[in-house]
């Protein structure tokens, strides 16, 4: 075998070894990518299980608090009505202390509600009626409030972690109330026009 043949054989062996190494390297790269993808899937699954477990625990906690809170809403209503019916100027010291005790109890109960995620739903006069938060029990005429808006609150509502456990019972403005003043003014203007023959929109003094 000549030197030339030996060199060609060595080159072929070197090329074969290089190709084998490159193939093994490519295989290792593919395996590494597959392992990374698998690790990411496992991590995502663990995160999903963690979130689902937390959500289920929060739901269970909220359900337990919700039942307990509903039982206390009646107490909160009684305390609120007692304070509203108490006279403003109290001269008798004993009665004044009694009312003060009711006020402190009502505030303590409200703070306990707040700490546990129970919040009041107490819309203001003129607020837009929201069927998700409010329950309309009656309509009343109101010149200063848009028709359909809240006029006053008959009973405070409550929500727990964004879920309504009792809607606020409200009285809403009659839907004709908002325009009644304007309609009355317009009627008077046209009555003046027919009586005098003048167009109220025209300034006759100009």
């Amino acid at each position: 075998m000549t030197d030339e043949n030996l060199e060609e054989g060595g080159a072929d062996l070197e090329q074969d070894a290089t190709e084998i190494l490159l193939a093994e390297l490519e295989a290792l790269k593919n395996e590494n990518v597959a392992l990374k993808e698998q690790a990411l899937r496992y991590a995502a699954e663990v995160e999903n299980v963690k979130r689902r477990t937390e959500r289920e625990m929060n739901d269970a906690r909220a359900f337990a608090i919700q039942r307990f809170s509903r039982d206390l809403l009646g107490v909160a209503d009684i305390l609120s009505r007692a304070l509203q019916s108490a006279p403003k100027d109290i001269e008798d010291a004993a009665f004044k202390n009694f009312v003060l005790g009711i006020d402190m109890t009502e505030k303590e109960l409200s703070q306990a509600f707040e700490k546990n995620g129970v919040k009041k739903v107490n819309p203001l006069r003129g607020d837009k009626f929201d069927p998700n938060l409010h329950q309309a029990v009656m309509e009343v005429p109101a010149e200063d409030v848009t028709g359909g808006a809240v006029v006053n609150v008959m009973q405070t509502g409550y929500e727990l972690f964004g879920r309504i456990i009792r809607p606020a019972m409200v009285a809403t403005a009659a839907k004709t109330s908002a325009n009644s003043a304007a309609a009355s003014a317009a009627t008077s203007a046209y009555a003046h026009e027919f009586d005098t023959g003048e167009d109220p929109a025209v300034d006759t003094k100009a």
Side-chain angles (χ1 to χ4, degrees):
M1 181 176 291
T2 64
D3 293 340
E4 183 178 351
N5 290 333
L6 289 174
E7 290 178 359
E8 290 179 356
D12 291 340
L13 290 174
E14 183 178 352
Q15 183 178 1
D16 292 342
T18 301
E19 290 178 352
I20 292 173
L21 289 174
L22 289 174
E24 291 180 351
L25 179 61
E26 186 66 22
L28 288 174
K29 287 181 178 179
N30 293 334
E31 183 179 359
N32 185 42
V33 171
L35 289 173
K36 283 183 177 180
E37 291 178 351
Q38 187 176 20
L40 290 174
R41 286 197 299 270
Y42 287 155
E45 182 62 25
V46 169
E47 185 65 23
N48 289 335
V49 171
K50 180 181 177 182
R51 290 178 180 177
R52 184 166 60 250
T53 302
E54 290 178 352
R55 184 170 61 252
E56 290 174 353
M57 290 177 63
N58 289 334
D59 289 343
R61 177 173 175 266
F63 178 73
I65 296 175
Q66 179 175 332
R67 294 183 60 185
F68 182 66
S69 300
R70 282 179 175 172
D71 292 338
L72 290 178
L73 295 185
V75 178
D77 293 338
I78 292 173
L79 292 173
S80 179
R81 285 194 294 266
L83 289 174
Q84 290 175 3
S85 62
K88 301 299 181 183
D89 298 326
I90 303 174
E91 296 182 358
D92 184 84
F95 185 49
K96 186 174 184 178
N97 289 333
F98 175 74
V99 174
L100 180 61
I102 295 177
D103 182 53
M104 293 175 63
T105 304
E106 196 269 342
K107 289 179 179 178
E108 191 69 23
L109 182 59
S110 295
Q111 290 177 2
F113 279 161
E114 289 283 346
K115 289 179 182 178
N116 289 278
V118 180
K119 296 182 179 180
K120 289 183 178 181
V121 178
N122 196 22
L124 300 175
R125 182 181 179 89
D127 284 354
K128 184 179 179 181
F129 176 81
D130 187 344
N132 297 315
L133 303 175
H134 313 142
Q135 179 182 351
V137 295
M138 62 184 300
E139 283 189 349
V140 296
E143 302 295 343
D144 61 324
V145 176
T146 304
V150 174
V151 175
N152 61 350
V153 179
M154 314 296 289
Q155 186 181 62
T156 303
Y158 289 88
E159 63 178 0
L160 174 63
F161 300 129
R163 299 178 181 178
I164 290 295
I165 57 178
R166 189 181 77 181
M169 298 175 63
V170 301
T172 58
K175 293 184 178 180
T176 57
S177 296
N179 299 324
S180 60
S184 177
T187 301
S188 298
Y190 282 115
H192 175 76
E193 177 185 357
F194 290 133
D195 289 342
T196 63
E198 298 177 355
D199 187 348
V202 178
D203 187 356
T204 59
K205 297 180 180 180

